[in-house]
Amino acid sequence: MYRTKFFDHVILLSGVFLMVGPLLVALMTSSHEAADIHRNGLSILPGGHFIETYETVLTKEGGFTGKITGLRMMMNSLILGLGFAAGKVLLSMLAAYALVYFRFRFATITFWMIFTTLLLPLEVRILPSYEVMNTLHLTNTYTGLIVPLLASATGTFYFRQFFKSIPDELLEAARIDGAGPFKFFIDVIVPLSKTMMAAIFIIMFVYGWNQYLWPTLMTTEEGFFTLVRGIKQILLVWVGSNIPDYNQAFALAILAMLPPVMIVMIFQRWFIKGLTESDK
Amino acid sequence: MAQINITNVSKIYAGGVEAVKSVSLDIADGEFIVLVGPSGCGKSTLLRMVAGLEAISKGTVEIGDRVINDIEPAERDIAMVFQNYALYPHMTVYNNLAYGLKNRGTPKAEIDARVAEAARMLEIEPYLTRKPRALSGGQRQRVAMGRAIVRKPAAFLFDEPLSNLDAKLRVTMRGEIKQLQKRLGTTSLYVTHDQLEAMTLADRLVVLNGGQIEQIGRPLDVYHTPASTFVASFIGSPAMNLLRATREGSRLHFGSQVLESDRLSALPTELTIGIRAEDLRVARAGEQSLTMKVDYIEELGAQRLVHGMLDGKKLTAALSPEIELSDTIALTIAPSRLHFFDVTTGKRLAQIVDGAVGKREDTGALEMAGG
């Protein structure tokens, strides 16, 4: 067996330092007062205003209209993240199911067409998407925020590969057992894909949570603002002699980081299982 | 319980490849039919057409008195056992057995009763709450059979169900399948590439080659009167020796060696001779004999397979282990034990029966495809 040596620890520790260091600084800085931060810059020692800052951030009604709180923004982010992830999982599963199990004309071409859209970032189609949503009067709604982003080439691709690895005999056995396409999907495919679904869900949740450009475009009412946008909002007050609430910005950044980190940590086991092994 | 009638069934894949060529086969109620042949001979395709997993390109399949060409697999009243078991990995053994019944809307009490019965029959009762992954290969195979049994179908379809098991288990399971089938009396169609499995299980076996039936018959009939060189070399282990020979009058020439019999006159002058390894015996002094140069020996315990050369051609003889061997042995065979095949078509020509050479008129146990 390989014995861990001193040098290995050095490498690992420096890795940890690189990854965690900035987060720690953000956390510590957020517990100082804004003026303090403005004067002394970042700090790695805790200040005395931890609870106050976070309380303010979460509950103080701020923003242009003075109606939006941190909690509200967190809620919005959660709705966006969860709706985004759940929708993507469902949609890409159904798409992959059709691609793998139904023989229709141009199935392969269709798949590759979907697949090539992987190469296109959201930004490429952001204007037409906005135009469509605007015409449908779906700006400033959760529907408008979530639905246009649901089609997922990545998800479809992963599920397609996964379904392809499920032995055909299972489908055949199910057909002989009298399960139609819908029953087979619900009774066999879904239970078998559980870990895969969890993995995709996590990836997509984090992706959705971190969306910035699309929510900025789609929502003008502050009631729909997400956390990620909120951070920017705080820094926007830098006019005249106002000092931006750096502490609050840092606090929001930390808060914005927590849910994805927690989800990944809690579901880590499933996540790895879903991406590496198949439960067949 | 039902008979199965397969009439002129063909499978033509896109691109014109004909995997099964106009096969006809009538299976009686309760009969155990084994389809055997090398890989790619179309046996699985034929089975899957009966199951409804492949579309039938031409011809008709009837189960009972119902043409089932366009009927969904679930409605065909069949149950299938797959090579890789195809158990639902996320369901317990109980649910695996019950799934098909549930889908049919069978009442809960009856499902319970049927699953319990099948589990008792297959001795898988202790595992009903387990998932397939916690079972051994043999147990999984039992569950797969249980899934077929609970359905009480008109016919069982087996697609190489024992190929994933180790040799010892295969022999046990083979016996159990045979017993079970006898007990239930369900018409069965069984696909295998293993001739031993085919011989031991079948009421009648169907030898397929290149999508066509080479021979249908009871195992011993097929063994003793193979319809072609293909069947001769496929059924039986070791494979039948096939040697080219020329006939001059009453003498058969194997290269420089000669075998004489006064009953060969009706045969053509160019022949393929088939000799079962166990029909060869060591010649006594003064008997006419063929001299074989011994290459190597396989000990089987009860028998000894002696591989060697007969005038440059391979020959295998199954001899008693008590016989002392030297570098060359003189072997002989009763002329009535010789099989004759056409040189070009490979079809069986005749057999010396009761001392007379003639086309053997068969009793119906033997049917030749296209013959």
Side-chain angles (χ1 to χ4, degrees):
Chain A
M1 208 184 109
Y2 182 75
R3 298 268 304 262
T4 339
K5 297 192 190 68
F6 174 73
F7 192 61
D8 301 329
H9 284 289
V10 172
I11 292 177
L12 290 173
L13 280 172
S14 55
V16 168
F17 181 75
L18 266 172
M19 302 291 279
V20 179
L23 296 182
L24 202 70
V25 170
L27 181 69
M28 290 311 167
T29 311
S30 71
S31 63
H32 291 267
E33 280 187 316
D36 204 22
I37 300 168
H38 196 65
R39 250 194 328 266
N40 302 329
L42 304 171
S43 65
I44 51 165
L45 294 172
H49 303 273
F50 188 79
I51 297 172
E52 293 152 54
T53 314
Y54 281 82
E55 209 182 322
T56 325
V57 162
L58 282 174
T59 54
K60 198 190 89 184
E61 301 194 325
F64 188 67
T65 52
K67 281 279 161 56
I68 180 95
T69 64
L71 266 179
R72 181 65 201 250
M73 289 193 284
M74 201 162 213
M75 249 266 291
N76 287 339
S77 281
L78 266 180
I79 291 174
L80 176 63
L82 291 177
F84 189 78
K88 276 208 173 201
V89 167
L90 183 72
L91 206 66
S92 39
M93 262 187 104
L94 290 174
Y97 186 58
L99 284 170
V100 174
Y101 287 102
F102 292 83
R103 242 164 264 136
F104 54 92
R105 277 164 153 258
F106 315 119
T108 325
I109 296 237
T110 311
F111 169 72
W112 286 109
M113 273 166 63
I114 294 174
F115 190 68
T116 43
T117 62
L118 257 182
L119 306 171
L120 303 174
L122 167 70
E123 287 71 17
V124 172
R125 59 176 174 93
I126 205 155
L127 282 176
S129 295
Y130 177 78
E131 182 62 33
V132 170
M133 286 299 113
N134 199 26
T135 319
L136 294 172
H137 304 293
L138 284 174
T139 48
N140 285 320
T141 58
Y142 289 121
T143 319
L145 210 51
I146 295 169
V147 171
L149 304 184
L150 286 187
S152 164
T154 326
T156 310
F157 177 70
Y158 272 121
F159 278 116
R160 173 185 182 261
Q161 298 311 98
F162 177 73
F163 292 168
K164 282 195 160 228
S165 74
I166 294 176
D168 288 343
E169 282 84 356
L170 228 48
L171 169 69
E172 289 165 357
R175 281 182 69 190
I176 291 176
D177 270 342
F182 188 71
K183 247 187 148 47
F184 178 67
F185 185 72
I186 298 292
D187 288 347
V188 180
I189 292 287
V190 171
L192 282 182
S193 316
K194 265 187 199 150
T195 48
M196 194 69 193
M197 284 161 75
I200 302 280
F201 186 89
I202 293 166
I203 295 176
M204 292 309 170
F205 176 80
V206 175
Y207 185 50
W209 179 274
N210 288 336
Q211 281 298 316
Y212 175 71
L213 184 58
W214 180 249
T216 310
L217 210 62
M218 280 304 292
T219 54
T220 45
E221 276 174 33
E222 289 190 324
F224 287 99
F225 277 16
T226 59
L227 262 187
V228 183
R229 269 197 82 180
I231 300 170
K232 185 171 170 263
Q233 215 64 18
I234 288 173
L235 299 176
L236 269 184
V237 295
W238 196 332
V239 275
S241 61
N242 272 348
I243 298 171
D245 293 323
Y246 286 124
N247 54 343
Q248 293 183 20
F250 277 121
L252 268 186
I254 291 288
L255 284 178
M257 227 171 328
L258 272 183
V261 169
M262 269 163 59
I263 283 207
V264 171
M265 265 161 52
I266 293 169
F267 294 106
Q268 199 171 32
R269 214 164 43 89
W270 274 31
F271 180 75
I272 292 167
K273 217 173 152 196
L275 288 185
T276 54
E277 71 179 51
S278 49
D279 191 13
K280 288 178 292 297
Chain B
M1 312 295 125
Q3 78 279 11
I4 301 174
N5 301 97
I6 299 169
T7 317
N8 298 324
V9 163
S10 300
K11 178 72 192 180
I12 300 153
Y13 284 110
V17 181
E18 205 172 0
V20 174
K21 295 169 191 161
S22 193
V23 165
S24 294
L25 177 64
D26 292 328
I27 305 170
D29 184 11
E31 203 174 12
F32 199 125
I33 293 281
V34 176
L35 301 175
V36 63
S39 26
C41 72
K43 57 191 189 298
S44 278
T45 312
L46 183 58
L47 185 82
R48 292 164 59 81
M49 282 195 283
V50 176
L53 300 172
E54 298 270 359
I56 298 165
S57 311
K58 273 188 209 156
T60 56
V61 175
E62 288 168 68
I63 296 177
D65 291 318
R66 204 159 55 118
V67 176
I68 44 96
N69 281 34
D70 298 318
I71 296 176
E72 276 294 301
E75 310 295 320
R76 292 189 179 194
D77 203 12
I78 46 117
M80 190 156 167
V81 179
F82 295 88
Q83 179 179 353
N84 63 3
Y85 324 128
L87 300 175
Y88 309 117
H90 57 289
M91 294 186 196
T92 60
V93 169
Y94 178 92
N95 283 330
N96 262 289
L97 296 186
Y99 187 61
L101 297 175
K102 276 183 195 157
N103 286 344
R104 268 177 191 67
T106 316
K108 183 89 175 69
E110 193 181 342
I111 296 180
D112 276 341
R114 285 209 205 174
V115 171
E117 191 193 342
R120 195 171 51 247
M121 225 184 273
L122 294 160
E123 292 161 28
I124 51 172
E125 284 160 312
Y127 317 123
L128 281 178
T129 52
R130 288 203 206 165
K131 298 252 174 90
R133 110 171 57 88
L135 302 178
S136 70
Q139 290 163 344
R140 286 182 206 188
Q141 191 54 62
R142 279 161 198 271
V143 176
M145 290 192 1
R147 189 166 61 179
I149 291 173
V150 291
R151 297 268 309 277
K152 300 195 172 164
F156 288 140
L157 307 176
F158 297 91
D159 192 0
E160 309 214 10
L162 304 182
S163 302
N164 281 8
L165 300 177
D166 62 61
K168 192 160 172 253
L169 205 52
R170 208 178 297 171
V171 177
T172 333
M173 289 300 288
R174 200 164 71 199
E176 287 186 22
I177 290 182
K178 181 83 176 167
Q179 268 183 358
L180 205 65
Q181 196 268 344
K182 282 279 157 293
R183 198 160 129 203
L184 296 168
T186 310
T187 314
S188 299
L189 194 55
Y190 186 109
V191 161
T192 181
H193 61 262
D194 180 346
Q195 58 89 20
L196 190 62
E197 228 170 272
M199 289 285 289
T200 48
L201 282 172
D203 289 334
R204 278 193 299 158
L205 57 84
V206 178
V207 186
L208 285 158
N209 181 29
Q212 280 171 317
I213 294 180
E214 286 273 334
Q215 188 171 8
I216 304 175
R218 281 173 300 176
L220 280 184
D221 290 338
V222 173
Y223 185 81
H224 289 303
T225 50
S228 64
T229 49
F230 174 81
V231 178
S233 60
F234 195 79
I235 299 292
S237 174
M240 185 186 273
N241 297 297
L242 293 170
L243 303 166
R244 281 289 289 272
T246 50
R247 183 183 67 88
E248 276 174 25
S250 58
R251 295 156 69 92
L252 281 176
H253 294 262
F254 300 93
S256 61
Q257 306 208 36
V258 178
L259 206 59
E260 201 166 353
S261 171
D262 51 359
R263 299 155 178 167
L264 302 169
S265 52
L267 291 164
T269 52
E270 288 286 327
L271 290 163
T272 302
I273 309 286
I275 301 172
R276 286 278 178 213
E278 69 270 20
D279 290 338
L280 286 165
R281 59 179 173 79
V282 176
R284 283 184 290 270
E287 260 186 318
Q288 64 166 345
S289 65
L290 302 165
T291 312
M292 176 170 84
K293 250 175 69 196
V294 177
D295 276 345
Y296 64 98
I297 294 161
E298 284 180 294
E299 300 286 4
L300 301 182
Q303 265 188 341
R304 172 184 280 167
L305 295 183
V306 184
H307 299 270
M309 293 296 209
L310 174 74
D311 203 65
K313 283 169 220 140
K314 279 188 185 157
L315 187 72
T316 304
L319 302 174
S320 161
E322 277 110 58
I323 298 166
E324 300 247 342
L325 293 174
S326 51
D327 284 352
T328 57
I329 34 175
L331 296 169
T332 192
I333 181 171
S336 65
R337 298 284 191 166
L338 293 173
H339 304 260
F340 304 103
F341 300 98
D342 189 287
V343 174
T344 45
T345 64
K347 293 275 179 241
R348 177 179 201 82
L349 286 173
Q351 188 167 23
I352 303 173
V353 190
D354 299 330
V357 170
K359 289 270 181 197
R360 181 172 159 159
E361 297 297 329
D362 216 281
T363 50
L366 184 79
E367 297 168 27
M368 277 194 224

